[in-house]
Amino acid sequence: VSQDRKQYWEERLRANAGLRGVGHISHSYSWNGWAYRVKKRGLHRLVRLARLDMPRARVLDIGSGTGFGIEFWLSRGVASVSGVDLTDHAVEHLRINFPELLFFQGDIGDPQFDLPGAPFDMVSAMEVLFHITDDNRYRRAFCNIKDALRPGGYLVFSDNFLRHGELRTAHQASRRHEDIMAAVREAGLEPVKRIPMFMFMGYPVDTTNARRQQIWRRTVGRAARSDRWGAVFGFLLAPVELVATAVASEGPTVELLLCRRPAVTV
Ligand SMILES: C[S@@+](CC[C@H](N)C(=O)[O-])C[C@H]1O[C@@H](n2cnc3c(N)ncnc32)[C@H](O)[C@@H]1O
């Protein structure tokens, strides 16, 4: 099973260079480019709450893929950032693209996982943890992350936080909000703040309204597949998204959660 999972990502990343491999695989490069801009702003907004002392902060990015998280942290001016990915493919490319940084191959859900370079002030895991379909390994991932954080350190990650029952496919488990929060708390992390990453640019997975999903597929979903329409829709929707995600407390699609390892553990 573990080999299958690794092989899936090795093949997906190898066959789809850049943002299509790590972003939404059926969406065009132009669309994923806009989606990643919105994602970056959301991450920035949430991470500000951690009040990190950037020039001193030591960060680990999990499931780095093509390096979205790595570039994000470099742009914030952190003291150091390193990355872990399940695939040799991602690790090889990251080492070439960021020769001064350290990258490791590893599975964050592994029962024994020593993160080299720990403890960290911040760990990020963007669009990674919901790909761990085994519930024990999912819970284990939070424990591994907590162990890698210094007391008072933060984790930021994305997930779907479903309000209406879970949804599982071969390589993704969209869990219920309460199950995710339970995994976070059981690991000894405290949720700090959750914000939507997208309101309209992501498939509305967290709704019971089938009509809404159908409308999304026929409009945004269709445009997102095309390079030309993806560029037009992305350009028009991105500013709307920035406002909508800033005012809404929850969204119908992927969200970001900031959590903290308590400063004093008893
Ligand atoms: C959807 S991509 C996201 C990449 C990047 N974080 C981003 O936001 O663009 C998921 C990445 O996580 C990696 N991954 C999947 N499962 C993992 C695991 N259990 N441990 C570490 N990395 C994993 C995959 O190889 C892939 O590079």
Side-chain angles (χ1 to χ4, degrees), residues 9 13 22 36 39 63-65 68 85-87 106-108 126-128 131-132:
W9 282 104
L13 296 180
V22 289
Y36 267 82
K39 173 169 157 175
S64 299
F68 163 78
D85 200 279
L86 182 62
T87 63
D107 184 334
I108 190 61
M126 305 294 288
E127 269 90 287
V128 178
H131 289 299
I132 305 178

Side-chain angles (χ1 to χ4, degrees), residues 45 161 163 177 193-199 243-252 254-256:
R45 206 154 51 79
F161 300 93
R163 288 164 291 186
H177 171 253
K193 174 119 179 127
R194 182 163 56 103
I195 62 169
M197 188 192 287
F198 302 116
M199 295 300 286
V243 176
T245 52
V247 296
S249 57
E250 282 192 318
V254 65
E255 298 175 327
L256 288 161

Side-chain angles (χ1 to χ4, degrees), residues 21-82:
V22 289
H24 202 298
I25 197 159
S26 53
H27 293 165
S28 62
Y29 285 103
S30 61
W31 174 264
N32 273 317
W34 284 108
Y36 267 82
R37 276 177 213 149
V38 174
K39 173 169 157 175
K40 182 174 175 186
R41 286 290 290 269
L43 185 58
H44 173 60
R45 206 154 51 79
L46 191 58
V47 157
R48 266 196 316 211
L49 301 178
R51 297 178 173 278
L52 285 186
D53 179 3
M54 294 295 178
R56 290 185 181 196
R58 302 182 66 249
V59 181
L60 176 75
D61 182 55
I62 292 169
S64 299
T66 51
F68 163 78
I70 302 295
E71 276 169 21
F72 174 80
W73 291 114
L74 289 176
S75 75
R76 301 298 101 157
V78 294
S80 79
V81 55
S82 46

